[in-house]
């Protein structure tokens, strides 16, 4: 049995990491179409031949970052169970959702209609790789950090990540993991929109809210998903300042959940763990943050200190970032 929480616990979603087979096109989508800031350009620390790009708000704050792994030529994700099935971004106001409908239409972005889901207004859409995303109206709760150079007006900009949706075939083991190991609280349920015989269970992180929930869709009629382009590799939850990663690893160990142990990512400290239905979670600290090396620069290749001696080798192996615009009729090459 996992020991009771003796600290304030997790506070929300930290970041989400997706997979792209066309990283330049992905860079273009998140910066030009969504107006997010290119917070940092780095590499996958476990495979330095691939880019790892971070997109977020104006200051790269924890809870705003959509990150993307560069796996060129990757096959498309086979969608289904045991996976992260939608990532939500927060915006403020129904009129802002209307504004995004018009923008998506003008830019040819695949999207649905504004709808109500789980008690909030949402607008579903796909990125350039087909990754399922949504905008959710958070009512303007909390602070926002607009980016001055965004293609989107400040009042319409994405304010940060919203809740995460995962799909599993059976609830009980995931429920135990979320409540006993991570300290989340089962808050409410609602029916799956297009299959009302199935149920979505909402788990609040800390005080909850649009930025601090995990929505668990329980369906036993789907095949098991397989990672690929247009899919999400993992979701990270926020470990706030003052909490020790050692305590979280000990907590996972005591609950019998195999994990990575503490991993130093330079910009934050992490631990990785698969819940019993195989969805990969990361626990990540808020600090030290992306400004640890100085002012944010999303165009320069940033490397953690342990990789810096290999900079020339790493840069030589990286392919150019070829950015294809929304009409796929012009090409820009960036280094």
């Amino acid at each position: 049995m996992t020991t009771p929480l003796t600290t304030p616990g997790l506070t929300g979603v930290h970041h989400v990491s997706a997979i792209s087979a066309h990283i330049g096109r992905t860079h273009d989508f998140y910066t030009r179409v969504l107006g997010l800031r290119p917070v940092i350009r780095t590499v996958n620390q476990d495979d330095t031949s691939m880019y790892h790009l971070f997109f977020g708000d104006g200051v790269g704050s924890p809870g705003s970052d959509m990150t993307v792994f560069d796996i060129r030529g990757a096959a498309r994700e086979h969608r289904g169970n045991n996976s992260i099935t939608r990532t939500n971004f927060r915006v403020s106001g129904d009129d802002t959702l209307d504004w995004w409908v018009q923008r998506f239409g003008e830019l040819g972005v695949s999207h649905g209609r504004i709808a109500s889901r789980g008690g909030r207004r949402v607008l579903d859409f796909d990125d350039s790789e087909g990754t399922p995303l949504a905008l959710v109206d958070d009512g303007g709760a909390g602070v926002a950090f607009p980016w001055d150079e965004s293609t989107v007006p400040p009042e319409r900009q994405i304010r940060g990540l919203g809740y995460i949706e995962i799909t599993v075939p059976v609830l009980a083991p995931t429920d135990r993991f979320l409540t006993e190991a991570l300290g989340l609280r089962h808050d409410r349920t609602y029916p799956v929109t297009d299959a009302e015989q199935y149920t979505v269970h909402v788990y609040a992180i800390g005080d909850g809210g649009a930025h601090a929930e995990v929505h668990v869709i329980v369906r036993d009629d789907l095949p098991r998903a397989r990672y690929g382009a247009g899919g999400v590799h993992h979701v990270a939850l926020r470990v706030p300042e003052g909490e020790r990663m050692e305590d979280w690893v000990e907590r996972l160990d005591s609950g019998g959940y195999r994990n990575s142990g503490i991993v130093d990512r330079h910009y934050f400290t992490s631990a990785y763990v698969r819940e019993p239905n195989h969805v990969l979670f990361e626990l990540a600290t808020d600090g030290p943050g992306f400004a640890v090396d100085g002012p944010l620069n999303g165009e320069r290749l940033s490397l953690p200190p342990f990789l810096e001696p290999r900079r020339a080798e790493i840069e030589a192996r990286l392919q150019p970032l070829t950015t294809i615009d929304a009409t796929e009729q012009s090409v820009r090459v960036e280094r």
Side-chain angles (χ1 to χ4, degrees):
M1 176 65 70
T2 307
T3 56
L5 283 174
T6 58
T7 58
L10 306 171
T11 56
V13 176
H14 187 282
H15 67 266
V16 173
S17 293
I19 298 171
S20 172
H22 304 87
I23 194 66
R25 190 159 60 196
T26 296
H27 181 282
D28 179 70
F29 185 89
Y30 283 96
T31 56
R32 180 178 62 86
V33 177
L34 294 189
L36 293 173
R37 178 173 185 169
V39 174
I40 189 170
R41 180 182 299 189
T42 186
V43 293
N44 182 342
Q45 294 178 14
D46 303 312
D47 181 353
T48 60
S49 67
M50 65 173 68
Y51 284 108
H52 189 189
L53 306 184
F54 289 70
F55 307 96
D57 64 15
V59 297
S61 57
S64 74
D65 292 301
M66 184 72 173
T67 93
V68 186
F69 292 118
D70 166 25
I71 307 181
R72 304 193 187 199
R76 294 295 295 269
E77 178 194 38
H78 288 251
R79 296 198 173 134
N81 258 322
N82 313 92
S83 66
I84 299 164
T85 42
R86 189 174 300 276
T87 300
N88 289 260
F89 293 98
R90 293 180 291 111
V91 295
S92 179
D94 241 10
D95 57 334
T96 296
L97 292 178
D98 290 332
W99 185 90
W100 278 98
V101 168
Q102 181 176 345
R103 179 172 178 81
F104 287 158
E106 292 170 351
L107 297 178
V109 175
S110 174
H111 67 90
R113 297 179 178 179
I114 297 172
S116 293
R117 185 164 63 230
R120 298 190 180 94
R121 301 285 281 171
V122 298
L123 172 63
D124 293 343
F125 67 101
D126 294 339
D127 72 7
S128 55
E129 290 289 82
T131 312
L133 306 171
L135 300 176
V136 56
D137 178 13
D138 70 356
V143 296
F145 301 96
W147 181 36
D148 292 342
E149 299 178 39
S150 176
T151 57
V152 175
E155 69 276 12
R156 306 302 187 193
Q157 284 184 32
I158 289 171
R159 296 161 47 82
L161 287 168
Y163 59 86
I164 299 302
E165 300 173 35
I166 72 174
T167 301
V168 299
V170 58
L171 180 64
T174 298
D175 174 89
R176 286 194 297 272
F177 171 79
L178 294 176
T179 57
E180 296 180 6
L182 299 189
L184 276 57
R185 169 175 47 86
H186 189 279
D187 184 66
R188 64 189 189 278
T189 63
Y190 63 92
V192 174
T193 301
D194 57 353
E196 294 191 354
Q197 69 270 35
Y198 299 106
T199 301
V200 184
H201 295 256
V202 178
Y203 292 82
I205 308 168
D207 294 333
H211 70 292
E213 292 174 348
V214 175
H215 290 215
V216 181
I217 302 164
V218 183
R219 297 189 62 160
D220 60 4
D221 65 326
L222 301 175
R224 183 167 176 171
R226 295 210 312 264
Y227 281 139
V232 170
H233 185 264
H234 67 268
V235 57
L237 305 183
R238 293 176 64 180
V239 176
E241 297 292 338
E243 291 201 30
R244 294 173 3 111
M245 284 301 301
E246 292 84 353
D247 294 336
W248 278 103
V249 169
E250 181 180 350
R251 181 178 176 81
L252 293 173
D253 287 341
S254 70
Y257 296 104
R258 295 180 59 184
N259 62 86
S260 66
I262 296 174
V263 181
D264 183 0
R265 294 302 190 194
H266 182 54
Y267 312 105
F268 43 83
T269 302
S270 298
Y272 298 83
V273 57
R274 286 194 186 275
E275 55 85 39
N277 277 306
H278 305 287
V279 177
L280 183 58
F281 282 81
E282 175 185 356
L283 305 181
T285 59
D286 278 357
F290 297 112
V292 65
D293 295 324
L296 298 182
N297 183 347
E299 303 307 317
R300 177 183 181 272
L301 182 67
S302 297
L303 296 175
F306 74 91
L307 290 179
E308 191 61 48
R310 296 174 52 200
R311 174 175 287 274
E313 168 204 342
I314 290 170
E315 289 185 333
R317 293 177 64 197
L318 290 170
Q319 298 181 40
L321 266 183
T322 302
T323 304
I324 305 173
D325 69 16
T327 63
E328 299 192 25
Q329 293 177 350
S330 64
V331 177
R332 304 190 300 277
V333 176
E334 302 179 356
R335 287 298 287 183

